[in-house]
Amino acid sequence: MTAPVVVLVGPPGSGKSTVGRVLAERLGVGFRDTDADIEKVAGKPIPEIFIDEGEPHFRALEAEAVRAAAADHDGVLALGGGAVMAEATRAVLAGLPVVFLEVPLGDAVKRVGLDAPRPLLAVNPRARWRELMEARRPLYLEVATVVVNTEGRTPEQVAEAVLEGLELKPHE
């Protein structure tokens, strides 16, 4: 059975995709993002899925994307910010090397500019981000093998902290 070498979880703006690509390069493995998988399957961007079919449909697609990627991807895997909300997804992550990229609101705003097309952050993005974190943080911690605080760090520094936290050796 194949399994990811690292799974990244965290809120929007935590750097999952950016750090994931750096990690994949350092480890000499592929990078996969379940949000990109969902968009490919649905044939449209995530905000349109939310608008056209609603959040429950998106979450079902997301749970399936995580299940499939966890079963057949042996590189670095980045999950969407809300993926951990599904109990089935948390079960899939059990036993995998999961890293929670923790980020303060100020850094998240700088990184994604909370005006980006993120359906759950469309109205009052700062307050909504805080609400999402209150609900999700305990779940990120539940699935995490390692927690890496990204505050004030470059993607390369975060990647290094992930490697150290999981005791992984970079590809030479």
Side-chain angles (χ1 to χ4, degrees):
M1 180 166 147
T2 303
V5 66
V6 179
V7 179
L8 299 175
V9 299
S14 61
K16 297 178 299 286
S17 295
T18 304
V19 170
R21 286 184 186 90
V22 173
L23 277 170
E25 185 177 322
R26 288 227 185 135
L27 292 168
V29 298
F31 172 74
R32 187 164 170 182
D33 185 327
T34 57
D35 280 353
D37 291 352
I38 294 163
E39 289 182 341
K40 186 175 178 183
V41 166
K44 57 179 138 184
I46 288 170
E48 287 183 26
I49 299 169
F50 268 78
I51 292 165
D52 297 345
E53 286 92 20
E55 184 176 357
H57 178 73
F58 169 76
R59 294 297 174 201
L61 292 174
E62 182 174 55
E64 176 54 26
V66 172
R67 188 204 59 72
D72 70 11
H73 181 65
D74 60 0
V76 176
L77 179 62
L79 305 190
V84 297
M85 300 299 288
E87 191 173 326
T89 294
R90 293 193 306 276
V92 164
L93 297 176
L96 295 178
V98 178
V99 178
F100 167 30
L101 297 182
E102 194 163 34
V103 61
L105 175 60
D107 281 9
V109 169
K110 285 180 212 153
R111 292 178 190 167
V112 296
L114 292 180
D115 58 350
R118 296 178 183 270
L120 294 181
L121 300 176
V123 178
N124 194 350
R126 287 173 182 264
R128 187 69 182 121
W129 192 90
R130 282 191 191 97
E131 288 170 17
L132 290 174
M133 278 306 294
E134 284 176 24
R136 294 175 180 177
R137 189 171 193 283
L139 301 176
Y140 292 140
L141 292 171
E142 177 187 320
V143 300
T145 310
V146 173
V147 177
V148 173
N149 190 324
T150 66
E151 185 171 11
R153 290 177 159 174
T154 66
E156 292 75 19
Q157 291 168 327
V158 173
E160 190 59 37
V162 169
L163 292 172
E164 288 173 12
L166 291 176
E167 298 179 1
L168 296 171
K169 301 284 184 238
H171 180 70
E172 297 301 324

